[in-house]
């Protein structure tokens, strides 16, 4: 029996050991939390081409594109393949192609289960049309890697470089045949006719047709149609396409040519046959719409003609005159010109793509659904508060009454009139208020690359309003974005007691007739998107725009705007001119204060500082600045990023309390900027900390073997930047903290930096980050009490909030830790950072092409609103230091009420007992 017991005991021990070896910590995310405090808006980008699947599936496959590195000097496109439900406009599935594939040559469908794409010139993929899953991938090597192709029943047929023929097995993706059809490189390439193995070549005097036979190493010449395209009006070709294996369309400047292969016939149709105002018009573009339909867009009138091959002729199906709103229910003011008009199968269904990137399905003359795809390319965003109820707005007016020095009786009379006005008109101001139970009620204002401006509610991402700037110049993308003036928003009045005001600054396209470009300042109400005044137009280039910390007057609470213009242009040695906006009598009284304003301009590797000096245009508020300093950086280095303080950040404490209870003063300089310079030949990254008022470099940091992709964020006395180390193959994040060794608390200086570097204590440490970083931002809170948190946007599309204590440059090395460090709460330095999965605020989703993160404080100090943009939009609220000022969801409210009632009863009983005891005591 003892033997048996011992054996059972051993077996039990073995089982326990095996169980313990297989036990590990499992991290999980409660999926029911997704969508409770956050929302996500999915986009597909700018429409390029499409394939309509059979009518029974009610689906369209869309090829689109997005602009990567929009905030860099070298932007490029990447492409997207997606499936849209024609009933709702929702995305069924979406595939984002690799960013290094900058072109998309072909999108083909074989009437079965698969879709063929050719991208990046020679990357061939076969997709499942229902699920979007990839069946196979093949990269073709040829004499010229730019390919086009077709998909047949059993193979994929490719033509690369216009002369290299390639066969690919449809099931496996393996290349089965390859040969050169044309020995010499030509500017008249071979083109595939529809989903077939036939090809055509357009020459000056004829169109030649060929056929490829599976397995052969040469083409069979079929026939040729001899007809010159060099007619009197057609002296160049604007486009070619194959409607099917028998019909080819070639557009000249004013003529549409139809080539019938079987009939060996050629027909020509003048544009004026389809459009009465076509005289003097020319074809701007030609595109295929499917089902023997194609569309042409005219150059001058921007008219879109939807044409169809019917029998032996071409007929007009639909005409859209974008200057007349009589064809489809679209508003040109809201959507711009129509760029694509697609006739879908079914009764009276049109898919309309507009200049503002919007996609609309029009059925029976009504808009069935709409997608705002311009939100996939946001340039700039701001978050504002809804104003409080109108009664509270009187508080600022009362405060103004007692700040003025016009005498007691004036104050008394104004106060009486204010009180009577409140009684007679209690709800005179109809501005929206935060009456919702949700404590976070804000508006997100966003400008987009297409020129459309949106007002988005932070509640579920509803678009409240939008307007379109049709003449916005979005071509100039190679300026340094942090200093350019392309469509920026400035909230000139953001106090919660008044309706906010905003100014939109943008550059227009060059007008017809050689007129110069103009720069526009447009005033609008950010709550409803309506214009609130006349535009101010400048004909000179805007070099710099900034919101000044100076108000127009005490009553309006409207901040002034500083605009720096490149004027005069023909005198480069002269300083630019500075305009103050708005300019009126109240602003004129503050001319002396304006002379304390300094700014800087960057031109190439030169950084020039200025200070407002003398009046140059008294009528319009123009000043001539005085150059104060000049910094010439090395010519072999390039400025790739600029960091500056966030104007919305609140500094709660000017010093740190150390473990020994001493104070360590923070070096807080709002004029501190950081310049990231990159030297390509040596892969060297240099970070300069520069005082923008005095122009002196406080400190420089050199990072060797670095990449050129850098992101910088400032917070209080700290600068945090990220870069990739090419030598270690690691993502690095570095922290710089600046402190003052001695400080005179009662002294005031316009710039805290006084060329006394020996008085500064500067700490710097770098950490290895576990993932690639895309962008950095700062979590903003109303009072700055909550722990400083860096919002890190990852290349994977997720957002990770990191407490500043993890990347604190004062973290001591383990062998140098003192009791005072432990008392202060400093963690020992470790070069590697790791964070658990539940730290990510994006849960298990990602934002492709994540570009920017914006944060704003809420009514609760513990909570911050975070809005991020990329291909998709994502918005959520975070609590960096936990919700210390919010009752939890499982808080026992009933127990609190009962306890309060019991305490109230006990207090009343105790009061009566004490009163009775006091009376009885006096009677004794």
């Amino acid at each position: 029996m003892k033997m048996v017991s011992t054996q059972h005991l051993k077996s039990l021990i073995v089982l326990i050991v095996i169980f313990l070896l297989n036990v590990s910590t499992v991290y999980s995310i409660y999926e029911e939390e997704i969508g409770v405090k956050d929302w996500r808006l999915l986009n597909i980008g700018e429409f390029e081409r499409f394939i309509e699947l059979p009518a029974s599936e009610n689906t369209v496959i869309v090829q689109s594109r997005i602009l990567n590195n929009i905030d860099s000097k070298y932007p490029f496109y990447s492409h997207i393949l997606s499936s849209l439900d024609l009933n709702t406009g929702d995305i069924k599935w979406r595939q984002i192609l690799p960013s290094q594939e900058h072109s998309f040559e072909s999108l083909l469908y074989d009437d079965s289960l698969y879709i063929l794409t050719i991208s990046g010139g020679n990357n061939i993929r076969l997709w499942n049309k229902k699920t979007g899953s990839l069946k196979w991938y093949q990269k073709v090597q040829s004499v010229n890697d730019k390919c086009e192709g077709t998909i047949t029943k059993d193979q994929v047929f490719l033509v690369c470089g216009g002369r290299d023929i390639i066969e690919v097995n449809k099931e496996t993706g393996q290349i089965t045949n390859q040969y050169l059809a044309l020995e010499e490189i030509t500017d008249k390439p071979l083109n595939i006719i529809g989903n077939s193995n036939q090809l055509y070549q357009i020459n000056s005097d004829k169109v030649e047709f060929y056929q490829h036979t599976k397995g052969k190493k040469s083409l069979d010449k079929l026939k040729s149609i001899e007809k010159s395209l060099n007619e009197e009006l057609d002296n160049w070709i604007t486009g070619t396409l194959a409607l099917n294996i028998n019909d080819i369309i070639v557009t000249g400047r004013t003529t549409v040519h139809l080539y019938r292969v079987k009939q060996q016939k050629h027909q020509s149709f003048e544009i004026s046959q389809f459009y009465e105002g076509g005289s003097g018009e020319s074809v701007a573009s030609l595109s295929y719409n499917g089902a023997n339909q194609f569309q042409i867009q005219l150059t001058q009138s921007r008219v879109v003609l939807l044409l169809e091959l019917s029998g032996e002729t071409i007929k007009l199906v639909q005409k859209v005159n974008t200057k007349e709103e009589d064809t489809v229910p679209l508003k040109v003011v809201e959507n711009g010109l129509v760029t694509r008009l697609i006739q879908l199968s079914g009764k009276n269904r049109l898919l309309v793509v507009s200049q503002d990137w919007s996609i609309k399905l029009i059925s029976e003359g009504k808009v069935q659904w709409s997608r705002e795809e311009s939100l996939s390319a946001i340039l700039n965003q701001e978050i504002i508060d809804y104003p409080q109820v109108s009664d509270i707005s009187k508080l600022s007016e009362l405060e103004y009454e007692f700040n003025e020095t016009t005498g007691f009786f004036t104050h008394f009379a104004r106060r009486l009139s204010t009180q009577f006005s409140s009684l007679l008109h209690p709800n005179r101001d109809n501005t929206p208020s935060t009456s919702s139970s949700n404590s976070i009620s804000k508006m997100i204002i966003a400008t987009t690359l297409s020129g459309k401006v949106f007002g988005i509610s932070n509640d579920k991402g509803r678009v409240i309003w939008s307007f379109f700037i049709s003449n916005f110049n979005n071509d100039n993308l190679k300026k340094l974005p942090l200093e350019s003036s392309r469509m920026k928003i400035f909230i000139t009045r953001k106090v919660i007691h008044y309706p906010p005001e905003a100014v939109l600054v943008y550059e227009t396209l060059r007008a017809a007739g050689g007129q110069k470009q103009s720069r526009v300042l447009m005033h609008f109400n950010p709550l409803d998107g309506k214009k609130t005044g006349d535009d101010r137009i400048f004909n000179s280039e805007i070099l710099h725009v900034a919101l000044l910390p100076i108000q127009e007057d005490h009553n309006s609470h409207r901040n002034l705007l500083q605009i720096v213009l490149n004027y005069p242009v023909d005198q480069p040695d002269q300083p630019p001119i500075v305009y103050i906006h708005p300019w009126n009598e109240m602003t004129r009284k503050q001319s002396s204060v304006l002379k304390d304003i300094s700014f800087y301009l960057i031109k190439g590797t030169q950084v020039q500082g200025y200070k407002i000096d003398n009046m140059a245009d008294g009528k319009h508020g123009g000043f001539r600045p005085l150059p104060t300093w000049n910094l010439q950086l090395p010519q072999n280095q390039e400025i790739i990023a600029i960091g500056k303080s966030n104007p919305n950040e609140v500094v709660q404490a000017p010093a740190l309390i150390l473990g020994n209870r001493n104070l360590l003063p923070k070096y807080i300089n709002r004029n501190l900027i950081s310049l990231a310079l990159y030297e390509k030949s040596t892969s060297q990254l240099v970070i300069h900390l520069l005082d923008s008022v005095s122009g002196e470099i406080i400190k420089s940091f050199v990072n060797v073997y670095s990449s050129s992709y850098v992101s910088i964020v400032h917070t209080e006395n700290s600068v945090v930047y990220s870069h990739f180390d090419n030598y270690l193959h690691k993502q690095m994040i570095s922290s710089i903290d600046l402190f003052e060794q001695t400080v005179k608390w009662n002294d005031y200086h316009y710039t805290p930096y006084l060329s006394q570097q020996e008085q500064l204590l500067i700490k710097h440490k770098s950490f290895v980050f576990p993932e690639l970083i895309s962008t950095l931002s700062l979590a903003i809170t109303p009072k700055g009490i909550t722990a400083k948190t860096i919002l890190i946007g990852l290349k994977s599309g997720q957002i990770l909030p990191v407490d500043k204590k993890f990347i604190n440059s004062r973290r001591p090395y383990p062998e140098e830790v003192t009791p005072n460090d432990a008392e202060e709460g400093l963690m020992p330095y470790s070069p590697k950072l790791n964070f658990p999965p539940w730290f990510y605020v994006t849960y298990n989703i990602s934002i492709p092409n994540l570009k920017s993160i914006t944060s704003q404080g809420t009514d609760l100090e513990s909570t911050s609103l975070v809005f991020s943009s990329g291909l998709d939009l994502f918005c959520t609220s975070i609590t960096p230091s936990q919700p210390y000022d919010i009752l939890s969801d499982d808080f026992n409210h009933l127990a609190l009420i009962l306890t309060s009632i019991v305490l109230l009863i006990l207090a009343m009983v105790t009061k009566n007992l004490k009163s009775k005891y006091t009376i009885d005591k006096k009677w004794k």
Side-chain angles (χ1 to χ4, degrees), residues 330-386:
L330 296 176
K331 295 182 179 180
V332 178
V333 176
E334 294 181 1
N335 303 106
L337 305 175
V338 174
T339 57
R340 290 294 302 273
L341 185 63
I342 302 165
Q343 181 77 47
L344 299 175
S345 60
K347 187 177 180 181
N348 297 329
R349 291 203 307 176
L350 283 175
L351 195 66
V352 181
V353 183
S354 301
Q355 187 182 0
D356 66 344
W357 298 11
S358 63
I359 304 174
K360 290 180 172 64
L361 180 68
I362 300 176
S363 179
E364 301 293 338
K366 297 181 180 179
V367 177
Q368 184 172 333
W369 53 260
S370 175
R371 296 186 59 87
E372 297 289 355
E373 292 305 328
S374 57
L375 289 172
S376 63
I378 289 181
L379 295 176
N380 182 244
Q381 61 264 349
E382 292 286 342
I383 303 176
I384 63 170
D385 293 290
Y386 279 100

Side-chain angles (χ1 to χ4, degrees), residues 189 191-193 200-209 225 227-231 233-244 246-261 265-271 274 283-288 294-296 307 309 314:
N191 301 280
I192 297 177
I193 303 177
Y200 68 97
Q201 183 183 29
I202 299 178
N203 296 303
S204 60
D205 57 344
K206 59 185 175 181
V207 179
E208 295 184 302
F209 297 89
I225 302 177
K227 178 64 179 179
S228 173
L229 293 176
N230 294 326
E231 300 176 0
L233 297 177
D234 289 336
N235 42 17
W236 47 267
I237 298 174
T238 59
T240 66
L241 61 87
L243 294 179
N244 49 61
N246 184 55
D247 304 301
I248 296 172
I249 298 295
V250 179
T251 55
R253 191 182 335 190
T254 62
T255 310
V256 177
H257 299 273
L258 171 62
Y259 289 90
R260 316 300 301 270
V261 179
K265 184 179 179 182
H266 167 259
Q267 294 175 268
S268 296
F269 302 85
E270 296 294 330
I271 298 298
F274 312 112
V283 177
S285 64
L286 169 70
S287 55
Y288 180 58
F294 62 98
Q295 76 172 40
I296 59 176
L307 305 174
L309 176 60
I314 296 176

Side-chain angles (χ1 to χ4, degrees), residues 72 85 181 210 277 288 338 436 504 580 633 689-690 818 835 906:
S72 74
D85 189 332
Y210 302 89
Y288 180 58
V338 174
S436 173
L504 181 68
I580 303 300
L633 301 169
L689 302 184
L690 177 70
T818 64
F835 302 96
L906 290 177

Side-chain angles (χ1 to χ4, degrees), residues 538 540-544 563-567 575-579:
F538 298 100
S540 301
E541 180 186 5
I542 294 181
L543 302 176
H544 176 71
I563 305 103
V564 182
L565 299 180
N566 185 20
Y567 182 84
I577 191 169
V578 180
Y579 279 95

Side-chain angles (χ1 to χ4, degrees), residues 106-329:
S106 297
L107 174 64
L108 303 165
Y109 174 57
D110 67 344
D111 295 329
S112 65
L113 187 61
Y114 299 108
I115 295 169
L116 179 75
T117 62
I118 303 176
S119 57
N122 61 346
N123 296 277
I124 320 300
R125 293 179 176 88
L126 196 67
W127 308 87
N128 187 303
K129 69 176 182 180
K130 293 185 178 180
T131 62
S133 58
L134 181 65
K135 182 175 176 61
W136 54 258
Y137 164 75
Q138 177 67 257
K139 187 168 185 177
V140 175
Q141 300 295 333
S142 69
V143 293
N144 189 317
D145 286 340
K146 190 171 183 179
C147 304
E148 65 171 347
T150 184
I151 180 171
T152 60
K153 185 176 181 180
D154 57 350
Q155 70 171 354
V156 174
F157 176 50
L158 305 172
V159 177
C160 296
R163 62 194 187 107
D164 197 3
I165 306 299
I166 300 175
E167 292 180 18
V168 180
N169 186 287
K170 181 179 175 181
E171 291 299 322
T172 63
Q174 299 299 316
I175 297 176
T176 58
N177 188 15
Q178 183 173 358
Y179 64 91
L180 275 176
L182 302 176
E183 293 297 334
E184 297 181 358
I185 299 176
T186 176
D187 58 350
K188 299 177 177 61
L190 294 169
N191 301 280
I192 297 177
I193 303 177
N195 281 352
S196 71
N197 59 349
Q198 295 184 3
L199 305 96
Y200 68 97
Q201 183 183 29
I202 299 178
N203 296 303
S204 60
D205 57 344
K206 59 185 175 181
V207 179
E208 295 184 302
F209 297 89
Y210 302 89
Q211 180 171 320
H212 165 74
T213 303
K214 184 179 179 181
K216 286 188 66 174
K217 293 290 186 179
S218 63
L219 293 178
D220 298 325
K221 189 172 182 180
L222 295 179
K223 61 193 75 173
S224 61
I225 302 177
E226 296 184 0
K227 178 64 179 179
S228 173
L229 293 176
N230 294 326
E231 300 176 0
E232 182 178 355
L233 297 177
D234 289 336
N235 42 17
W236 47 267
I237 298 174
T238 59
T240 66
L241 61 87
L243 294 179
N244 49 61
I245 62 173
N246 184 55
D247 304 301
I248 296 172
I249 298 295
V250 179
T251 55
R253 191 182 335 190
T254 62
T255 310
V256 177
H257 299 273
L258 171 62
Y259 289 90
R260 316 300 301 270
V261 179
K262 290 182 180 180
Q263 296 88 339
Q264 297 189 32
K265 184 179 179 182
H266 167 259
Q267 294 175 268
S268 296
F269 302 85
E270 296 294 330
I271 298 298
S272 57
Q273 295 180 235
F274 312 112
Y275 176 49
E276 294 180 356
S279 58
E281 288 280 6
S282 59
V283 177
S285 64
L286 169 70
S287 55
Y288 180 58
N289 275 22
N292 285 345
Q293 291 186 353
F294 62 98
Q295 76 172 40
I296 59 176
Q297 186 168 8
L298 305 183
T299 304
Q300 296 181 10
S301 62
R302 307 296 294 179
V303 168
V304 176
L305 302 177
L306 180 60
L307 305 174
E308 181 181 28
L309 176 60
S310 178
E312 297 295 325
T313 186
I314 296 176
K315 68 176 185 179
L316 177 66
V317 178
Q318 187 84 28
K319 178 189 70 174
V320 175
N321 188 341
T322 54
K323 296 181 180 179
E324 301 174 6
E325 302 174 19
D326 58 352
T327 311
V328 292

